[in-house]
Amino acid sequence: MLTTLGNVIKDAHASASAKLPAGLVLSLAAYGIHPQSFLRELIGTVIMIGFTFPAGKWIGADSLPVAWACHAIGVILADKIGGGYHVNPAVSTTMYVLGEVDYNECYARIAGAMAGGILSFPFYLMVTDATGLTPLGGPDFSPEISVDAFISECVATCLVSVVFPRISRLSFLILYIVFR
């Protein structure tokens, strides 16, 4: 019985992974756990990437204030549409640790954000190819800057998940009320 089930799972995985980007199958599998949170995070992430990554490339290339305004609008829209201030797995994890969301919602939000990122970059690459716009930067690895990027991401994650909540849970409550 377990062997048969294992073979079914193995065949389904092989079929899906041949047609879908790596990681998307796992992310989509979480949809059923908490569908509303999954979809809101997915949509919020697509919006956030669509507004924050083009800032300074597609919008505001000649104007830093315009680029920052585009970035800010993207963050606000993503937060509002994404159902709060998550749109980042570190924030979802922090909200779980603080008891603001349960495990299933946290898992679905993280999976939705990951699916949104996995789907966004190929989509926006198609947009840049079709329109001749400057390609977005995105998931990339460069040995020359890997240590700096790693340190930057670690510091940002610590700020988002450890320092900010400790400064004041009231600030998260205010963000929750404003963006909910």
Side-chain angles (χ1 to χ4, degrees):
M1 174 78 165
L2 286 177
T3 304
T4 303
L5 180 60
N7 288 335
V8 168
I9 292 170
K10 182 179 169 186
D11 291 344
H13 178 268
S15 175
S17 62
K19 296 177 177 86
L20 297 172
L24 188 58
V25 174
L26 183 59
S27 293
L28 293 175
Y31 169 78
I33 294 173
H34 209 282
Q36 183 178 8
S37 294
F38 178 90
L39 288 174
R40 291 177 93 173
E41 285 297 314
L42 185 145
I43 292 166
T45 300
V46 170
I47 290 170
M48 184 190 67
I49 290 170
F51 275 89
T52 60
F53 281 76
K57 291 184 182 194
W58 301 352
I59 302 165
D62 299 326
S63 171
L64 191 59
V66 170
W68 275 107
C70 174
H71 182 92
I73 289 167
V75 170
I76 291 167
L77 283 175
D79 289 348
K80 183 68 176 164
I81 292 168
Y85 38 83
H86 292 223
V87 195
N88 181 322
V91 174
S92 297
T93 303
T94 300
M95 293 298 106
Y96 171 69
V97 169
L98 293 174
E100 301 295 326
V101 298
D102 64 19
Y103 176 80
N104 288 338
E105 183 177 351
C106 177
Y107 186 83
R109 282 183 173 271
I110 291 170
M114 299 307 291
I118 291 168
L119 294 171
S120 291
F121 284 100
F123 170 73
Y124 290 119
L125 180 60
M126 289 188 305
V127 170
T128 60
D129 288 348
T131 60
L133 292 168
T134 304
L136 300 180
D140 192 15
F141 175 77
S142 172
E144 295 83 35
I145 62 166
S146 62
V147 172
D148 291 341
F150 176 78
I151 291 170
S152 174
E153 287 298 316
C154 284
V155 169
T157 299
C158 285
L159 286 172
V160 165
S161 61
V162 177
V163 176
F164 293 159
R166 302 243 186 269
I167 290 172
S168 171
R169 286 188 75 172
L170 180 60
S171 63
F172 275 97
L173 178 61
I174 291 168
L175 286 173
Y176 178 80
I177 291 168
V178 169
F179 292 114
R180 203 32 108 159

